[in-house]
Amino acid sequence: MLLPDNTFIGRKQELSAVERVFETGRRLVTITGVGGAGKTRLALELARRVSWSVITIDLSAARQPQDLLIAMAGALRGRCPDETAEGITAGLANLEPSLFVMDAVEGALPVAAALIDQWHRGAPAVRFVLTSRIPLGLASEQVVQLGCLEPEESFALLIDRAQSLNFRFNPDEDRQTLFEVLERLEGIPLAIELAAARTQMLSPKQLYERLDEPLGLLRSHRHAASPRHAAMEATLEWSWELLRPPERAVLKRLWVFDKSFSVGAAEVVASAARTNPVLPVVEALVQHGLIRLLESSTGRRLRLLGVVREFVAGRLSDAEREEAEVLHTAYFMSLIEPFVDAEGFMKQLLDACDPSLPPEVDNLEAIVMRPSAIAANRIHATLALVAILCRQGPASRVQRILDHANPSPSTGPSLDDIRLDLAMVTAKRFLGTRGPSQARLGQAVRVADDNGRPRLAALICHYQGREARIQGDLETCARLYDEALERAERSGSDVVIAQCVQGPAIMHFRTGAIEQAVVAAHQVITFAETHGFRRLRCDWLVNLSVAFYDTGRVEQAIHTARQAAKLASETGSLNVVAMNSIHLAEYCLAADRIADAETWLEKAEQLWEEASVQPANPMAGLNRIRCWLALVKGELDDAEEATELDRWTRFTSHPGLVEAVANSCRGVLQLLRGEHTMALQHFDRSMAARERWSIQQADTQVDLGFRALARALEGDAPGANRDLVEASRPGDPGPRVDQVLTLLGQAVQVALGEPEARTASQAMVASFQPSTSEWIAYPEVVIAGRLLQQLLDANGLYGPLTLVAGPNVAWVQVGTAPIVDLSRRRVPQRLLQRLIEAHRHSPGQSVTTEQLLQAVWPQDKAKRSSLENRLWAAVSKLRKAGFDRVIERAEGGYRIPPDVIVLFKQGAG
């Protein structure tokens, strides 16, 4: 075998693993993996790097013991007395320190295992590296199994091999499609190299389109390629020949799994192969590399490689296909049966998410898409998927499933159609305005009544009420919600009552009637606690915390959100834990607890990364709060990073909400930077998204207020006043919205040059301090106050200025500027302490240089001139840091101007 001359890419960990084995004194390593995983290439790379003598041997043609003996004797080139096992042992024993590479040993197993064990024991100076699709099973053997390449390694390999054939190949022309191609190739090096060869003729897009049937595409036309490396089909054929009949039978049944599956599912479906027990056979297929072993947050799962699945499909009879599909459907229908009642309603919508269901969405979707699936199975699988995916997303997948299971457009819907209608209206809030019309829903209620299905009629009636609310017909909404609840109570179903009892609370929340929403939320929580619906109780504790927050009861919001997080942890609802962490970060931000807010954000981010959790409500999304936190701290560059759209769209099941909130945050950032035109564009996009997706939260009013200011700064007085009027629509949105609109309304008047704006704005800025009882440090309120201050400064309308100081002047805040932490800055802290002390005793009183030196450096024996220079430098730094208006030169020293208001506040800044 010739050593390769192409670039070795990836496999650094595996290469290091083999080297470490030899360093420990062990001398027999078997590199295993599926055909095309790069076993031979890794072994030859190791041979190229070692300092010992290297002997390589290709055993791909060896089938009988004699074949192996002849090949070994030939490799030793006369150094063994004969072609017997003992003679070869003697020849190996006489070698100096060497590395013996034996490639493709699997063809001669199991006889080869005994011979190799004999040779290994008899040649203490020889290290053996074997490549085999399955381990030899020797006690002295160290197995290094090759999995799939990492995405970065796959990309590097594709580019290297493509450019070696065509130096003009440019990966940047369509990089995204190349990544999609690599995803389909699943990190198999041989598949990647064969695909790279096709880039001479095909564009990335053309290559991707032809991967629906990869075995026909992944073939080499290079004359130097060995037969088993010339095509993926050839290497898989070789793996198939190595399998025993029971292993082939099980693999054919497992073809039915398009994506990952559990060991339990494999045992049930493979039972048709009449191979008992199934588990050892599945383990053997994993050892062959034909099935991947995956780690997930819910435990280990299995998956057939895509090329393996296509290869197996070509060897299935129609009867075998049908039998596998029937068993597959039956297993997953039994899995969701405890969560689906007779009407086709998913109980999982109301209770904690069973951890066994989310990993199976691919298998449930396969049932929905299967043409042979009966209506009942398709409907139940659809409802299960809606229940799961409306918590996890993405919305596009929910829509695809609903489109495929779309009820008939006939004028007289059947009960099956109504159940699918129920799935569609359940998912509607995640999918914009698509779904059955009011007329269709009304017709569905009548059909359910006529067929004696009161629970189904109650649920459809409930969703009719939600449709009326979205359309703004609150009178009809209230009537339908009441009717739905009455129907649900008559039906006697706690599950249906639990759904319908939420209607009034939802209506009050969505229409801004927060106090009524609080009362209704308590009723839902009480019902959920009484009837054991833990997930429902958890969700409404979250909603209640939001209501407390919006009505200014921030401490109650924090307490309630902590209750919800505890309950969610107990039920395993990690998405609620993550969502609560984000809520708690926002609540702590409003309570002026910056450090606590950052801690909760870190916890939410950790859940996202480690547990792949997607909170159900991006309106309280991590990036939104991260952006607001940075804005409050005055770190505009960090805020800009948080508003990058790809950070928002990576994990979302609510694209409409994400679009609205991302543009809203971006608009506020541009206002702070003085880029009014761009700010207005972002607010226009936010409002368009809210209208398109029927988003009616109180944040819409806040967006209108900020857009009014952007319009005023652009000179559009009619548009600004129109937005303010619309933002101040009747209702009781709570102090968060009231306070931000009050400040923004005043800022609009200043921007438009209203004659009386100066006096009123000066008084408002003087009173606007989070330390007072009238104002809450909502991030939107803090930023609105800062924008008003900026307008006053820009127009020379300064007015009274406030200096807020924490305990022992550990932190300070000038006006609405960001808080400055002085807890670890001894010199400015002592300097300001002395100036504030004098100002409190007598506003405007100056402090001499001597007094300041004594206060700041009481024990310092340095020369006076040196201390004075240090004092001057400290004062200059403070003034440059934003204290120029609160520290001024006075005769013989410095002072805080008499018109500056000094306030003291307890707690951390």
Side-chain angles (χ1 to χ4, degrees):
M1 294 175 64
L2 296 176
L3 295 183
D5 58 1
N6 58 7
T7 309
F8 181 75
I9 295 174
R11 301 298 189 199
K12 292 181 180 179
Q13 291 183 349
E14 292 87 346
L15 190 62
S16 298
V18 177
E19 292 172 340
R20 284 196 301 271
V21 170
F22 289 151
E23 289 172 0
T24 62
R26 302 184 71 172
R27 296 183 294 106
L28 176 58
V29 176
T30 302
I31 303 173
T32 67
V34 70
K39 301 182 293 294
T40 303
R41 185 66 180 85
L42 178 64
L44 294 179
E45 179 64 20
L46 180 71
R48 191 180 65 81
R49 297 189 180 199
V50 299
S51 57
W52 316 306
S53 298
V54 176
I55 301 174
T56 61
I57 178 172
D58 183 357
L59 298 174
S60 58
R63 296 292 182 274
Q64 303 298 327
Q66 194 61 33
D67 297 335
L68 178 60
L69 295 173
I70 293 172
M72 286 291 292
L76 288 171
R77 296 176 182 174
R79 280 174 282 192
C80 55
D82 53 47
E83 294 182 349
T84 64
E86 291 72 17
I88 293 170
T89 302
L92 289 169
N94 293 327
L95 291 176
E96 295 180 353
S98 305
L99 176 68
F100 213 110
V101 178
M102 304 174 70
D103 188 35
V105 176
E106 63 269 12
L109 292 177
V111 175
L115 291 172
I116 291 170
D117 187 40
Q118 175 184 336
W119 296 333
H120 167 256
R121 294 176 185 277
V126 179
R127 295 167 178 82
F128 292 86
V129 172
L130 285 61
T131 73
S132 174
R133 303 198 181 189
I134 52 176
L136 276 65
L138 302 176
S140 56
E141 175 187 34
Q142 176 68 52
V143 177
V144 175
Q145 186 170 26
L146 301 189
C148 299
L149 291 176
E150 294 296 324
E152 297 80 6
E153 297 172 337
S154 298
F155 187 75
L157 179 63
L158 177 69
I159 302 312
D160 180 84
R161 299 304 189 256
Q163 290 180 337
S164 70
L165 297 169
N166 177 13
F167 72 91
R168 292 188 177 88
F169 179 79
N170 182 5
D172 294 324
E173 287 184 2
D174 198 351
R175 183 177 289 258
Q176 182 57 42
T177 303
L178 288 177
F179 278 117
E180 292 172 357
V181 167
L182 291 169
E183 186 176 354
R184 296 283 295 275
L185 298 176
E186 300 182 280
I188 303 174
L190 177 59
I192 294 170
E193 295 199 13
L194 294 173
R198 294 293 186 179
T199 60
Q200 296 180 90
M201 287 291 295
L202 303 176
S203 69
K205 184 176 181 181
Q206 291 171 324
L207 184 61
Y208 179 80
E209 290 171 348
R210 284 164 173 77
L211 281 175
D212 288 337
E213 296 181 356
L215 294 183
L217 179 73
L218 301 178
R219 298 176 180 275
S220 174
H221 299 292
R222 293 177 296 172
H223 298 297
S226 65
R228 62 194 173 99
H229 291 152
M232 278 305 303
E233 188 169 15
T235 194
L236 291 173
E237 185 70 47
W238 174 226
S239 292
W240 180 261
E241 293 298 327
L242 293 173
L243 296 179
R244 296 179 292 114
E247 293 164 350
R248 294 182 188 178
V250 169
L251 188 61
K252 289 167 75 173
R253 296 312 184 278
L254 297 183
W255 155 88
V256 75
F257 295 104
D258 184 28
K259 299 289 176 61
S260 73
F261 52 96
S262 66
V263 175
E267 289 178 313
V268 171
V269 172
S271 64
R274 297 167 181 81
T275 300
N276 291 311
V278 172
L279 185 58
V281 179
V282 174
E283 288 177 337
L285 293 171
V286 172
Q287 286 186 334
H288 277 269
L290 299 171
I291 297 179
R292 292 176 60 187
L293 193 61
L294 307 176
E295 297 288 346
S296 73
S297 58
T298 57
R300 290 184 174 177
R301 293 178 65 80
L302 307 168
R303 179 172 180 174
L304 266 71
L305 293 167
V307 289
V308 173
R309 188 168 184 269
E310 187 195 357
F311 177 86
V312 173
R315 283 150 179 78
L316 285 172
S317 67
D318 291 342
E320 288 171 329
R321 286 174 183 266
E322 183 178 354
E323 187 178 29
E325 288 179 348
V326 168
L327 288 169
H328 176 274
T329 300
Y331 174 79
F332 288 103
M333 287 301 100
S334 68
L335 194 64
I336 66 173
E337 184 179 2
F339 305 98
V340 183
D341 70 8
E343 308 290 359
F345 183 70
M346 278 293 296
K347 295 183 180 72
Q348 189 187 352
L349 284 166
L350 297 169
D351 209 349
C353 180
D354 188 281
S356 67
L357 293 185
E360 307 300 351
V361 292
D362 293 316
N363 290 297
L364 291 171
E365 184 174 359
I367 294 171
V368 174
M369 302 296 177
R370 192 169 289 153
S372 59
I374 63 174
N377 289 340
R378 188 175 72 254
I379 291 165
H380 288 176
T382 299
L383 281 160
L385 286 166
V386 167
I388 298 167
L389 293 174
C390 283
R391 297 190 185 279
Q392 294 185 187
S396 58
R397 188 173 189 180
V398 180
Q399 189 62 61
R400 182 177 71 245
I401 291 165
L402 289 174
D403 287 344
H404 190 85
N406 191 28
S408 65
S410 62
T411 55
S414 66
L415 283 174
D416 286 344
D417 293 332
I418 293 173
R419 293 190 183 103
L420 289 174
D421 278 339
L422 183 61
M424 295 186 74
V425 295
T426 301
K428 183 173 180 179
R429 60 181 293 205
F430 304 97
L431 303 175
T433 56
R434 300 180 185 180
S437 64
Q438 274 283 36
R440 171 91 178 195
L441 292 174
Q443 191 177 31
V445 172
R446 291 190 294 274
V447 171
D449 282 336
D450 293 343
N451 285 272
R453 304 297 177 95
R455 292 184 296 172
L456 191 58
L459 290 170
I460 296 292
C461 185
H462 169 77
Y463 284 107
Q464 258 193 296
R466 190 173 75 175
E467 183 68 21
R469 174 183 55 76
I470 291 173
Q471 294 174 357
D473 187 352
L474 300 184
E475 184 177 349
T476 301
C477 170
R479 176 179 59 77
L480 288 170
Y481 275 155
D482 289 342
E483 181 182 338
L485 186 55
E486 290 174 5
R487 286 173 175 272
E489 290 171 343
R490 288 199 302 270
S491 75
S493 169
D494 289 340
V495 173
V496 179
I497 296 172
Q499 180 67 29
C500 295
V501 78
Q502 301 176 68
I506 295 171
M507 180 179 68
H508 294 316
F509 267 110
R510 298 301 185 188
T511 57
I514 301 298
E515 291 300 337
Q516 293 95 318
V518 169
V519 175
H522 276 298
Q523 294 173 348
V524 178
I525 291 168
T526 301
F527 176 88
E529 190 172 8
T530 302
H531 292 83
F533 291 115
R534 294 190 299 172
R535 178 56 189 258
L536 181 65
R537 179 172 172 241
C538 192
D539 285 347
W540 278 92
L541 281 170
V542 174
N543 292 336
L544 185 59
S545 75
V546 174
F548 284 145
Y549 174 70
D550 283 339
T551 53
R553 291 169 275 187
V554 177
E555 293 301 330
Q556 281 184 269
I558 294 174
H559 174 72
T560 306
R562 286 180 181 274
Q563 282 185 295
K566 182 175 182 295
L567 181 60
S569 298
E570 292 172 356
T571 60
S573 301
L574 293 183
N575 61 327
V576 181
V577 177
M579 184 172 65
N580 266 278
S581 299
I582 297 168
H583 278 306
L584 281 162
E586 184 171 17
Y587 303 161
C588 289
L589 189 54
D592 244 3
R593 304 178 194 170
I594 304 297
D596 288 346
E598 291 173 334
T599 299
W600 285 112
L601 276 180
E602 289 175 5
K603 180 174 182 179
E605 190 163 18
Q606 183 180 4
L607 281 168
W608 270 18
E609 293 177 354
E610 293 183 3
S612 301
V613 170
Q614 166 58 35
N617 183 9
M619 287 297 291
L622 184 146
N623 289 310
R624 172 179 175 264
I625 306 305
R626 184 189 284 120
C627 175
W628 279 110
L629 176 61
L631 292 175
V632 169
K633 294 169 67 176
E635 299 168 352
L636 301 190
D637 289 341
D638 289 346
E640 182 170 17
E641 182 181 349
T643 59
E644 293 176 0
L645 282 178
D646 64 331
R647 298 171 66 103
W648 298 66
T649 56
R650 196 176 308 156
F651 309 106
T652 182
S653 59
H654 308 65
L657 288 175
V658 165
E659 184 181 356
V661 180
N663 278 291
S664 173
C665 289
R666 197 78 168 181
V668 174
L669 173 63
Q670 302 300 351
L671 276 179
L672 284 168
R673 284 183 163 165
E675 298 171 352
H676 312 139
T677 303
M678 292 183 65
L680 184 56
Q681 292 173 358
H682 284 296
F683 287 124
D684 284 342
R685 291 173 192 153
S686 175
M687 295 306 302
R690 291 180 185 279
E691 183 177 352
R692 184 166 63 253
W693 292 84
S694 302
I695 303 168
Q696 298 178 357
Q697 286 97 340
D699 291 73
T700 302
Q701 295 171 260
V702 174
D703 268 13
L704 284 167
F706 279 112
R707 188 172 74 169
L709 178 56
R711 283 182 165 169
L713 291 167
E714 288 289 290
D716 180 9
N721 288 320
R722 188 166 56 249
D723 276 348
L724 284 178
V725 170
E726 187 177 349
S728 304
R729 61 176 179 262
D732 182 21
R736 181 170 73 92
V737 176
D738 284 343
Q739 290 181 8
V740 72
L741 290 181
T742 298
L743 290 162
L744 289 174
Q746 199 60 46
V748 167
Q749 302 309 310
V750 173
L752 295 176
E754 294 293 335
E756 299 179 359
R758 171 174 180 167
T759 304
S761 297
Q762 289 174 341
M764 187 172 293
V765 169
S767 67
F768 169 62
Q769 292 299 334
S771 57
T772 69
S773 59
E774 296 179 3
W775 296 94
I776 301 172
Y778 292 118
E780 300 93 334
V781 174
V782 172
I783 298 306
R786 194 170 298 164
L787 287 167
L788 177 57
Q789 181 72 59
Q790 287 180 1
L791 282 170
L792 293 174
D793 290 348
N795 290 278
L797 309 174
Y798 298 113
L801 186 64
T802 305
L803 174 66
V804 183
N808 298 318
V809 194
W811 59 268
V812 289
Q813 182 181 25
V814 179
T816 59
I819 290 172
V820 178
D821 185 1
L822 298 179
S823 58
R824 297 184 181 180
R825 300 166 65 181
R826 182 172 61 91
V827 171
Q829 184 182 15
R830 290 181 176 178
L831 178 61
L832 280 173
Q833 274 181 318
R834 186 66 184 87
L835 291 172
I836 289 172
E837 180 185 344
H839 184 81
R840 290 185 66 191
H841 181 71
S842 177
Q845 179 181 343
S846 63
V847 184
T848 66
T849 301
E850 185 68 33
Q851 291 170 328
L852 287 173
L853 292 177
Q854 183 62 31
V856 179
W857 297 285
Q859 305 298 327
D860 202 311
K861 302 300 183 182
K863 291 182 179 180
R864 179 182 174 83
S865 59
S866 175
L867 292 176
E868 287 180 348
N869 288 336
R870 285 156 63 182
L871 177 64
W872 177 86
V875 173
S876 297
K877 286 182 180 180
L878 277 173
R879 291 172 62 83
K880 289 179 180 178
F883 291 82
D884 53 315
R885 291 176 53 206
V886 296
I887 300 178
E888 64 181 18
R889 287 284 296 179
E891 187 174 349
Y894 297 87
R895 71 171 186 172
I896 295 175
D899 59 341
V900 173
I901 300 171
V902 177
L903 299 174
F904 291 89
K905 186 175 180 181
Q906 298 301 313

